[in-house]
Amino acid sequence: MTKFIGYRCSLCGKEYLPGQVTYTCPSDGGNLDVVLDYAAIQKKFQPDDLVCRDESSLWRYLPLLPVAEPGGESTPLHAAGWTPVFALPRLGQTLGLKYLWLKDESRNPTASFKDRASAIVVARAREIGAEVVVTASTGNAGAALAGMSAAIGQKAVIFAPRTAPQAKIAQLLVFGAKVILVDGTYDDAFDLTIQAANEFGWYCRNTGYNPFTAEGKKTAAFEIWEWWLNEHRSWHTADNPLDKHPPLTIFVSVGDGNIISGLHKGFKDLYALGWINRMPRIIGVQAEGSAAIANAFRAGGETITPVSAKTIADSISVDLPRDGVRAVRAARETGGTYITVKDEDILAAIAALGPSGVFVEPAGAAAYAGLVQAASQGVVGADDPVLVLNTGSGLKDVRAAMQAVPEAPVIEPTLQALKKFL
Ligand SMILES: *Cc1c(COP(=O)(O)O)cnc(C)c1O
Ligand SMILES: [Zn+2]
């Protein structure tokens, strides 16, 4: 089925055929939305055809994806997505919320949300016969591309800032990618990657540049939709009284703005198909020291002015967000907003989530820190159902985690010493 019928520029609206462009709009550099043939999908599929599939990964949503499933044996590439949603009743109570959940993306094969994007890009690379896939990364996108590539023997090259957390660099190396550390920022690595891809003919996965990353990230929206259907059976039945509830509010941390744009795209797909009758509210959270998109949102426009990014949340530390315009729209068009949080709030969020059994990296914690602020300011109220996306595992950045909690005491191995301590 040819459901992938082209691209549409998010800035000028110009449409392109699938073979006509590869990355961004040739006229204005705008991010390209993948265009699907909704009528063809509608003719062939109903929601029930998807939700009854016996497939516990993002490939469950193949009918809504612009790539073919990379066939073959079960590998980590076939295990991206389908992450659990946990209820957080005690934290909900603390925040004055009746309905609070967390979707835990640290359960992905390489322990971050980025596996969703990399799985789809690697599938695309295989389709177009790309010999080498390359990406710039603050760490997670690279680890995801390296891991998903390793799964099917695809060659990968990763550029990351030399300051990336050790665990992320270790993942890149262990997965066997060619790793090049750049003596500069993520933004420097980003620009170099595009030059290298053009020079050597590599297929570039860069976030907010390659249109397929958002198509991978949108699968989280499909999972949230399906989870919500199971919870409430209310998203696609116009006359269901449960629809009188406020819409689901989703908190997501934002760096380049591609996760939030991908989520938005997923819900827009479902809306266009008539499978949901209203959009959830999407709230983006940025670190105060890396808030170019929040700034644009607050200014009321779509102009993204670069900042000099500085935050402990390395995964969302970005000078010039590459998917800023769509990221602003994701909040604006869904009745959401942007919230900025301090590094100390991020560290506090790591410590707050841990006792619920969830170990988050700083960027994941930022989303929860944003919720704490939103709850205290009445941006969300007691009856609002709220879902926080944890985008990455705490094991990715152990140094930050250790800053979030007090040190453990060291004692002599005697009962006497223990008693004295207690
Ligand atoms: C990449 C990343 C983000 C932000 O995603 P963007 O698409 O850059 O906005 C958030 N959290 C984690 C853990 C990430 O790796
Ligand atoms: Zn354009």
Side-chain angles (χ1 to χ4, degrees), residues 105-183:
E105 292 292 316
S106 73
R107 309 298 175 110
N108 275 294
T110 78
S112 89
F113 192 100
K114 297 292 197 295
D115 283 334
R116 295 182 184 275
S118 290
I120 299 301
V121 169
V122 165
R124 176 69 180 166
R126 177 166 271 205
E127 268 181 4
I128 61 174
E131 206 166 305
V132 175
V133 188
V134 63
T135 196
S137 172
T138 60
N140 285 338
L145 185 65
M148 296 297 102
S149 295
I152 60 164
Q154 167 76 49
K155 276 196 196 129
V157 178
I158 314 294
F159 291 91
R162 65 183 293 188
T163 52
Q166 284 287 305
K168 297 182 182 183
I169 295 174
Q171 276 186 301
L172 300 176
L173 293 165
V174 168
F175 287 137
K178 183 176 263 318
V179 181
I180 299 161
L181 298 181
V182 174
D183 191 10

Side-chain angles (χ1 to χ4, degrees), residues 202-251:
W202 297 340
Y203 184 51
C204 183
R205 176 221 175 275
N206 275 12
T207 298
Y209 181 66
N210 185 313
F212 286 87
T213 58
E215 291 296 298
K217 288 168 174 182
K218 78 178 185 181
T219 57
F222 298 158
E223 289 174 23
I224 293 169
W225 163 69
E226 193 176 336
W227 158 77
W228 187 256
L229 278 181
N230 286 331
E231 289 272 322
H232 302 288
R233 294 303 307 176
S234 74
W235 234 346
H236 72 304
T237 50
D239 52 353
N240 190 315
L242 281 170
D243 272 353
K244 307 272 185 300
H245 273 294
L248 181 66
T249 302
I250 301 172
F251 283 79

Side-chain angles (χ1 to χ4, degrees), residues 112 114 138 140-141 207 217 253-260 315-316 318 361 363-364 391-392:
S112 89
K114 297 292 197 295
T138 60
N140 285 338
T207 298
K217 288 168 174 182
S253 62
V254 176
D256 270 316
N258 192 243
I259 292 182
I260 195 169
S315 299
I316 51 172
V318 179
E361 73 161 88
T391 41

Side-chain angles (χ1 to χ4, degrees), residues 9 11-14 16 25 27-28 30:
C9 174
L11 294 185
C12 68
K14 205 167 162 197
Y16 301 93
C25 176
S27 306
D28 53 17

Side-chain angles (χ1 to χ4, degrees), residues 253-255 284-295 298 307 309-314 316-318 339-343 346 362-363 366-367:
S253 62
V254 176
V285 184
Q286 291 210 283
E288 258 183 29
S290 176
I293 297 174
N295 293 343
R298 286 169 185 163
V307 298
K310 193 172 179 329
T311 168
I312 193 168
D314 64 294
I316 51 172
S317 184
V318 179
I339 290 174
T340 50
V341 294
K342 295 185 195 314
D343 279 2
I346 291 173

Side-chain angles (χ1 to χ4, degrees), residues 402-410 421:
M402 294 300 266
Q403 287 178 55
V405 286
E407 267 182 56
V410 179
F421 168 73

